[in-house]
Amino acid sequence: MKIRPVTPLDTLVCVDMAARFAGESAYAGLPVNEEKLRTLAARYATQPECYFRVAEEDGWIVGMLLGHTTPFIFGDALLAEQLFWYVTPERRGSSVAVRMLIDFAAWAEDQGVAEICVGITTGMDIDGPVGGVLERLRFKRTGSIYKLRMEV
């Protein structure tokens, strides 16, 4: 398995993965805008403050992680934020997610960030193994996300 930068040829697979993610998470029922996803993928693939890598195994994309750097709201120090982190259901529980996160952390360190922020906002695995993996990698749990779904 290798972690590599996304290519334009990967876009359709990544958009499909993002739509599958939405359908199996707390975002199920919300409309998916594939054009918006393609635009986001193109931006994250080309901007230096953006991270977009895929995990490839035997020629198949089995995971992806998008993130970016941004200054903290109260100062100029940089924060690296994970925007989207997904592993296909058949590869969950393997080393794919951890290896992607380690690669993201190495990229973030190269960017000179003061902190890396990774969240679980999907309603999936809230108290499951992902949190334990994050803690073993020295991430600290610092809060919670509360959501109120509105009728649209």
Side-chain angles (χ1 to χ4, degrees):
M1 197 234 5
K2 66 180 175 181
I3 308 296
R4 64 169 175 77
V6 70
T7 69
L9 295 175
D10 300 328
T11 302
L12 290 177
V13 173
C14 291
V15 167
D16 180 63
M17 288 175 79
R20 284 190 313 190
F21 156 84
E24 67 184 55
S25 70
Y27 305 110
L30 294 174
V32 173
N33 181 333
E34 290 189 6
E35 181 59 34
K36 182 176 184 176
L37 288 172
R38 283 190 291 277
T39 300
L40 180 72
R43 178 175 162 250
Y44 271 68
T46 59
Q47 299 301 310
E49 74 278 4
C50 296
Y51 173 97
F52 189 1
R53 305 282 192 281
V54 294
E56 183 180 19
E57 198 169 67
D58 299 323
W60 296 95
I61 295 174
V62 297
M64 65 178 174
L65 196 153
L66 283 78
H68 57 259
T69 60
T70 188
F72 281 91
I73 194 164
F74 52 79
D76 297 325
L78 286 178
L79 164 71
E81 297 178 299
Q82 156 258 328
L83 177 68
F84 186 87
W85 183 22
Y86 182 80
V87 175
T88 59
E90 35 308 328
R91 296 305 295 142
R92 292 181 192 152
S94 72
S95 66
V96 172
V98 171
R99 290 177 62 188
M100 285 192 304
L101 184 60
I102 290 170
D103 190 74
F104 177 61
W107 171 85
E109 185 176 17
D110 288 346
Q111 304 304 305
V113 304
E115 186 172 273
I116 301 169
C117 183
V118 176
I120 304 169
T121 62
T122 59
M124 300 164 50
D125 195 47
I126 294 170
D127 292 313
V130 174
V133 167
L134 290 168
E135 289 173 2
R136 282 192 295 283
L137 292 172
R138 299 179 308 141
F139 286 80
K140 304 284 186 243
R141 188 174 191 169
T142 59
S144 299
I145 300 286
Y146 294 86
K147 297 182 176 190
L148 174 63
R149 177 68 61 94
M150 306 303 289
E151 297 295 324
V152 290

